Structures are given as structure tokens and as C-alpha cells.
């Protein structure tokens, strides 16, 4: 055991090995999460955030007076449990069941098993890429990742008690009440802790989508404005990523010198702060530019391999010419990378991830390329398998970062590896559950609703007019993203808001930003810690209400 661990409080030590009791309990929690995800995605079309539920389960298990369960009093082990159930829920519902439901909805049941294998491969690559990218310049651990913060605050409040627990409890109560009356309290909470520029454009997008038809007589969704703008913003975002990675050698050397100074500052015993202003200062990334290049390079090659295997298993060799097959494989790999980047950016800044919309955009582009229905079904499923797991693991890693605040880089990376192991348990269990349950579900016509949307889109075809609309709207999307730059991501966030029909969420974001500005003006920066904890409570309360109300409706 390292000196740092021997000096840490009992509840703060990190678990070094996964003993059999820990793995068994994690597996049972993952089964529970998988069932919840499958039930809700097929009945209501949603998959709730179960991280808070996992944290509560871990806290309850820790109170059982049996020696085997004492290890769950460790807050880091509680974090591993919530990581497992969260991975299982999103893995089963979004990354596995939705993809395999697309070919079934199109009357191609013979493609279900090839799609399940392909989706499993895409899911594994998705998690690998996020693990290698998290806490890099592109996906920094110092960014907000709202759901991750909320889960961390819940775990800390249960571990520490005191004023923090009181503030969090008050926030959770407010989140429950607001959610009961239809207010998006997660959006309201995010407004207090996220990037103001990104969230302002997100809120504007939500309001434009909600009221454009009423005020201007134009349905922005019908003219493909959100989709086109997301395409343009996404292309520019990719270019910005490349620009960041290809920075001059002089800038890299300067950054290395600053990182060395910051690293020495971080090893001081001062109490770490969750202040959103302080978090952006003196941050040392644990992933280098070289790590990012290797992640995209290796991830891209693996996506190409996965797409090629899916094409073979799906019989596309007989359906497509050699050049069409090559285009399918390359485009499928490209689309999955773009999907996880766009979904990851949106999740990192707002807590929302437009996975369905991004998949639909890639499907529309595939239709413009002239792929036949079989290829389109496999393409949509392959892309749909990525994104949700990327965002969910980002939230979970953020939870770990908050809980491990003040530890050195080696301890942080060790803790993140432990979370990766817990996530793998969740995803593996989710794969088994979906493999065993899908035939029974589909025989009862229990398909995720979005699968019927994908199927209808493929069956109805695409006109040349739609392609022109996508191109024209891509131009303003690209311009907005270019103006905002890679830190604000306003093009991606504006497009995300335009893709979501939720007027109350739009008002919640705007009102939250106004309140935040007023409080900062009146009480100063020292009020941010209080707002941070309350905001985490709002988000947690919204997640709890969403979960239990969904379970109640689905019974």
C-alpha cells in the first residue's frame, strides 16, 4: 500500500482489487440496471440516469452488518457501484437494444444477431476511446459534466454529512418539486455551473425550436434546420480538434513548463475547491496530445475493422459493389467517431446528449450516398451504439475526479482504471441480458420507439431537396461554431437545443443563468460553492424523479 493511501481516511482509500464479493454484487446491480434500461426504453422510449440510484444502493449495502459488505463504506467503492449500474443501464438500452431493433423494425430479423455483435464491438471501442480521451484538452476533467458532479455531491454528502448534506438535500427537494410540475430541473441546475456561453446558446436553441412555429410560422424541424446546423457545427468542431492537436512545438513546450509548475502546486496539502472559476486555473491534463492522436488513430482503425466485420456478417458483400462496400466501411467508421465527439461535447457542457439526432443525421447522409436499406439499417445501428456510452462514462469519470480531488496524477489514473473495470462489468452484463431478452421482447412487439422512426425514414427514402436544405443550414452552423471557438462550442450547443422540443428546459436554462449572474453580482465569487452544491441537488432530484416516475408509469 502506498504512503498516500496509508495516510488517507478509511472512507477515502481506493480499492486495489476486485474481490469475488465485490464482483458478484456489481454483477447483480448491473442486471438490475440492464432490466430497468430495457423496460423503460421499450415502454417510454427513455433511459434514465441510474447513477444516483447506484450510489444509494451502495450506501444501503454499506449499512448491512455483514463483514462482506463493509467494503462498501468506502466512498470510492460506492463510486464503482454507481459506475457499474450506470454503464449497464445505458449500455443495454441505448447502445445495444436500439441498434438491434432497427433491422427488426425493417422486417430483417436475420440481421439482429450480426447487429448485436457489431453494436457490442462499437460499444467496446466507444468506451476505449473515451478512456483514452478523458482529461485531455478535448474532453477535460475540469469541464462540468453535470450528472457526474451531481452523483459525486450525493456520495460526498452521504459520506461527510453536515452543511454540504443539508444544501444538497435542499437542492434535491427543489429538484423533485420542480420536476413534479414539469420544470426541467437538470437544465436549471446546469445553468449554475456550466459554461455561460455554451448554455446560453443551448437555451436559445431550445426556445427557438419550441416557439418558431407559433411566432414565425416556421417549423425548424420540418426544414431540417437543426440537422443541417449540427452537420456544419460538427465539421468545424472536428477541424478545431485537429487544429488543437497540431499546435506548434513552441506552444507544446510552453504548456509542458506550465504543467510542471501546476503539478508542483497541486501536490500542496491545501483543501481542493470545487469553484467553477478555480477549476479552469492551473489544471494539469492527465492525457497528452500524443494520447489523443493515438486514441483517434487506434479508435478509427478499430471502427473500420468493426464496420468491415459487420458488413461481412450482414451480407453486404452480396449487396454492394467493391467501391460501395469500401465507402460504407469508411463512412461508418467516420460517422461513429463524429457521433461520439458531438454527443460527448454536448454531454460535457450541458448534460444532454443528442444521440438519436446525430444517428439520424448520419442516416440521412448515408441515404444521400445511395446505400440500400440493408446497409442503412446496419449503418444506423452501428452509429447508434456509440455516443451514449461515451457520454455516460464521461459522467462517471467526472464523479471519480471530484471524489479524488487533491490526489496526484498516478492515483487519479489508478482510480479511473478501476472505474473502467466497473464499467466493463456493467457493459458485459448488459450484453448478456440483451442477448437473452431481445427475442422475447421483439416477439411482443416491444421495440424502442426511435427504431420505428429510423425504419420509417429508411423506407420513405430521401429527396434531393432535403440534401440541399441540410447543406444550406450547415453553413450558419459552421459559422456559429467557428465564431465561438473550441472552448465555448456554441455551434454544437445551439444545434443541440434546436434538436430538442422542450420549451420548459429552455426557460429553465435562461432563468438559471440570469439568477446566477445576479447572485454573483450581489454576493461575489464566494457564493459559487453554495450554488454548485445546490445545482448538484437540482440535477440529482430531477434524475430521481425521472427514474421513479418512469418506473411507476411502466408498471
Amino acid at each position: 500500500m502506498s504512503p498516500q493511501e496509508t495516510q488517507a481516511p478509511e472512507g477515502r482509500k481506493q480499492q486495489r482489487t476486485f474481490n469475488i464479493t465485490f464482483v458478484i454484487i456489481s454483477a447483480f446491480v448491473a442486471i438490475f440496471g440492464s432490466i430497468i434500461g430495457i423496460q423503460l426504453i421499450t415502454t417510454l422510449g427513455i433511459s434514465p440516469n441510474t447513477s444516483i440510484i447506484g450510489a444509494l444502493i451502495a450506501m444501503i449495502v454499506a449499512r448491512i452488518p455483514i463483514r462482506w459488505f463493509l467494503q462498501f463504506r468506502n466512498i470510492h467503492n460506492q463510486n464503482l457501484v454507481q459506475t457499474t449500474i450506470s454503464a449497464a443501464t445505458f449500455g443495454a438500452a441505448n447502445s445495444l437494444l436500439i441498434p438491434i431493433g432497427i433491422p427488426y423494425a425493417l422486417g430483417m430479423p436475420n440481421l439482429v444477431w450480426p447487429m448485436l455483435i457489431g453494436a457490442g464491438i462499437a460499444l467496446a471501442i466507444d468506451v476505449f476511446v473515451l478512456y483514452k480521451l478523458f482529461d485531455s484538452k478535448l474532453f477535460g476533467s475540469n469541464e462540468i459534466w453535470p450528472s457526474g458532479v451531481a452523483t459525486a455531491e450525493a456520495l460526498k454528502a452521504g459520506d461527510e454529512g453536515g452543511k454540504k448534506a443539508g444544501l444538497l438535500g435542499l437542492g434535491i427537494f427543489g429538484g423533485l418539486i420542480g420536476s413534479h410540475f414539469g420544470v426541467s430541473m437538470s437544465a436549471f441546475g446546469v445553468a449554475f455551473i456550466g459554461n455561460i456561453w455554451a448554455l446560453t446558446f443551448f437555451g436559445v436553441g431550445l426556445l427557438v425550436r419550441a416557439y418558431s412555429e407559433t411566432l414565425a410560422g416556421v417549423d425548424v424541424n420540418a426544414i431540417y434546420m437543426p440537422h443541417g446546423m449540427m452537420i456544419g457545427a460538427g465539421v468545424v468542431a472536428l477541424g478545431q480538434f485537429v487544429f488543437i492537436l497540431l499546435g506548434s512545438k513552441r506552444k507544446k513546450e510552453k504548456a509542458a513548463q506550465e504543467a510542471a509548475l501546476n503539478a508542483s502546486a497541486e501536490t500542496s496539502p491545501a483543501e481542493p475547491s470545487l469553484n467553477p472559476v478555480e477549476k479552469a486555473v492551473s489544471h494539469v491534463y492527465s492525457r497528452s496530445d500524443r494520447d489523443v492522436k493515438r486514441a483517434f488513430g487506434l479508435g478509427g482503425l478499430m471502427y473500420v475493422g468493426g464496420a468491415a466485420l459487420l458488413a461481412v456478417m450482414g451480407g453486404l458483400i452480396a449487396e454492394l459493389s467493391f467501391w460501395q462496400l469500401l465507402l460504407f466501411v469508411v463512412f461508418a467508421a467516420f460517422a461513429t467517431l463524429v457521433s461520439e465527439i458531438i454527443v460527448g461535447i454536448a454531454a460535457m457542457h450541458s448534460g444532454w446528449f443528442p444521440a438519436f439526432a446525430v444517428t439520424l443525421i448520419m442516416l440521412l447522409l448515408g441515404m444521400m450516398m445511395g446505400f440500400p436499406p440493408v446497409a442503412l439499417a446496419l449503418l444506423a445501428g452501428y452509429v447508434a451504439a456509440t455516443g451514449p456510452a461515451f457520454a455516460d462514462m464521461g459522467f462517471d469519470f467526472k464523479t471519480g475526479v471530484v471524489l479524488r480531488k487533491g490526489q496526484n496524477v498516478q492515483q487519479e489514473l489508478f482510480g479511473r482504471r478501476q472505474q473502467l473495470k466497473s464499467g466493463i462489468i456493467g457493459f458485459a452484463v448488459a450484453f448478456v441480458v440483451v442477448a437473452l431478452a431481445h427475442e422475447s421482447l421483439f416477439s411482443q412487439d416491444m421495440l424502442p420507439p426511435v427504431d420505428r422512426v429510423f425504419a420509417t425514414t429508411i423506407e420513405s427514402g430521401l429527396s434531393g431537396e432535403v440534401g440541399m436544405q441540410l447543406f444550406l443550414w450547415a453553413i450558419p452552423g459552421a459559422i456559429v461554431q467557428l465564431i465561438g471557438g473550441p472552448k465555448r462550442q456554441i455551434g454544437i450547443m445551439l444545434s443541440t437545443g434546436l434538436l430538442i422540443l422542450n420549451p420548459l428546459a429552455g426557460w429553465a436554462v435562461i432563468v438559471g443563468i440570469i439568477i446566477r449572474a445576479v447572485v454573483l453580482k450581489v454576493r461575489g465569487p464566494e457564493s459559487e460553492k453554495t450554488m454548485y452544491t445546490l445545482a448538484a441537488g437540482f440535477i440529482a432530484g430531477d434524475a430521481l424523479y425521472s427514474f421513479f416516475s418512469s418506473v411507476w408509469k411502466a408498471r
Side-chain angles (χ1 to χ4, degrees), residues 126 133 138-139 145 226-238 241 296 334-359 361-362 365 383 386-388 390-391 481 489 491-493 495-496 499:
D126 197 35
L133 288 180
L138 306 185
F139 294 100
W145 300 98
H227 309 79
M229 290 191 69
M230 181 64 86
I231 291 172
V235 171
V236 172
L238 286 176
F241 281 2
F296 278 125
F334 171 78
T336 49
L337 275 174
V338 172
S339 171
E340 65 187 14
I341 289 172
I342 292 176
V343 171
I345 290 173
M348 179 172 66
H349 286 292
S350 71
W352 300 67
F353 44 96
F356 162 70
V358 174
T359 301
I361 289 169
M362 297 307 167
L365 293 177
V383 175
T386 62
F390 190 93
Q481 177 69 14
Q489 298 290 345
I492 294 290
M493 299 309 299
S495 303
T496 300
L499 287 164

Side-chain angles (χ1 to χ4, degrees), residues 419-438:
Q419 285 191 264
L420 177 65
K421 294 176 185 177
S422 287
I424 289 172
I425 292 175
F427 292 128
V429 170
F431 185 89
V432 173
V433 171
V434 171
L436 294 175
H438 76 269

Side-chain angles (χ1 to χ4, degrees), residues 186 222 226 241 290 366 494:
S186 59
F241 281 2
R290 183 183 179 188
L494 176 63

Side-chain angles (χ1 to χ4, degrees), residues 464-477:
E465 181 183 353
V466 173
M468 181 56 67
Q469 287 176 323
L470 291 174
F471 173 75
L472 291 176
W473 284 115
I475 296 172

Side-chain angles (χ1 to χ4, degrees), residues 191 193-202 490 509 513 516-517 520:
I193 51 181
N195 180 286
I196 288 182
W197 281 100
L199 290 173
T200 298
F201 276 81
F202 177 58
I490 59 177
V509 170
I513 290 174
R516 174 182 175 181
L520 286 174

Side-chain angles (χ1 to χ4, degrees), residues 198-486:
L199 290 173
T200 298
F201 276 81
F202 177 58
V204 168
L206 287 166
L207 294 178
V208 170
R209 170 66 189 276
Y211 298 109
S212 63
E213 190 169 8
T214 302
L215 298 178
V218 178
D219 181 359
V220 297
N221 195 58
I223 60 175
Y224 294 93
M225 175 182 172
H227 309 79
M229 290 191 69
M230 181 64 86
I231 291 172
V235 171
V236 172
L238 286 176
Q240 290 170 333
F241 281 2
V242 172
F243 180 78
I244 290 173
L245 293 178
L246 298 179
S248 68
K249 185 177 180 181
R250 182 177 57 83
K251 287 184 178 180
K252 290 181 181 179
E253 290 174 351
K254 183 179 178 182
Q257 292 172 357
E258 292 177 352
L261 293 173
N262 292 337
S264 63
E266 284 212 350
T267 57
S268 65
E271 178 68 20
S273 170
L274 288 178
N275 188 320
V277 175
E278 292 178 12
K279 74 179 177 61
V281 179
S282 301
H283 180 71
V284 180
Y285 294 105
S286 58
R287 298 297 188 190
S288 66
D289 289 351
R290 183 183 179 188
D291 292 328
V292 174
K293 292 175 184 177
R294 291 181 64 182
F296 278 125
L298 188 56
L301 288 175
M302 289 192 292
Y303 275 132
V304 168
L309 180 61
L310 179 61
V312 172
M313 292 188 298
L316 293 188
I317 292 179
E319 292 279 338
L320 304 176
S321 67
F322 172 78
W323 293 111
Q324 281 183 310
L325 185 63
L326 182 62
L327 178 62
F328 171 85
V329 170
V330 173
F331 179 70
F334 171 78
T336 49
L337 275 174
V338 172
S339 171
E340 65 187 14
I341 289 172
I342 292 176
V343 171
I345 290 173
M348 179 172 66
H349 286 292
S350 71
W352 300 67
F353 44 96
F356 162 70
V358 174
T359 301
L360 183 61
I361 289 169
M362 297 307 167
L363 175 60
L364 293 174
L365 293 177
M367 295 171 72
M368 291 171 61
M369 294 178 183
F371 292 132
V374 174
L376 291 172
L378 296 178
L379 171 66
Y382 196 57
V383 175
T386 62
F390 190 93
D392 176 63
M393 285 301 291
F395 294 146
D396 293 334
F397 286 158
K398 175 64 177 185
T399 299
V401 167
V402 174
L403 296 178
R404 293 185 292 267
K405 196 76 173 180
Q407 297 185 4
N408 61 38
V409 174
Q410 289 72 27
Q411 289 173 312
E412 166 58 30
L413 289 174
F414 167 74
R416 203 180 303 162
R417 281 195 299 271
Q418 297 294 82
Q419 285 191 264
L420 177 65
K421 294 176 185 177
S422 287
I424 289 172
I425 292 175
F427 292 128
V429 170
F431 185 89
V432 173
V433 171
V434 171
L436 294 175
H438 76 269
E439 289 187 10
S440 174
L441 291 169
F442 292 170
S443 66
Q444 301 173 62
D445 200 34
M446 293 181 68
L447 287 172
V450 296
D451 286 340
R452 304 186 193 280
V453 176
F454 290 134
T456 300
T457 302
I458 293 172
E459 290 172 340
S460 61
L462 188 66
S463 67
E465 181 183 353
V466 173
M468 181 56 67
Q469 287 176 323
L470 291 174
F471 173 75
L472 291 176
W473 284 115
I475 296 172
I479 293 172
V480 173
Q481 177 69 14
L482 192 62
I483 292 173

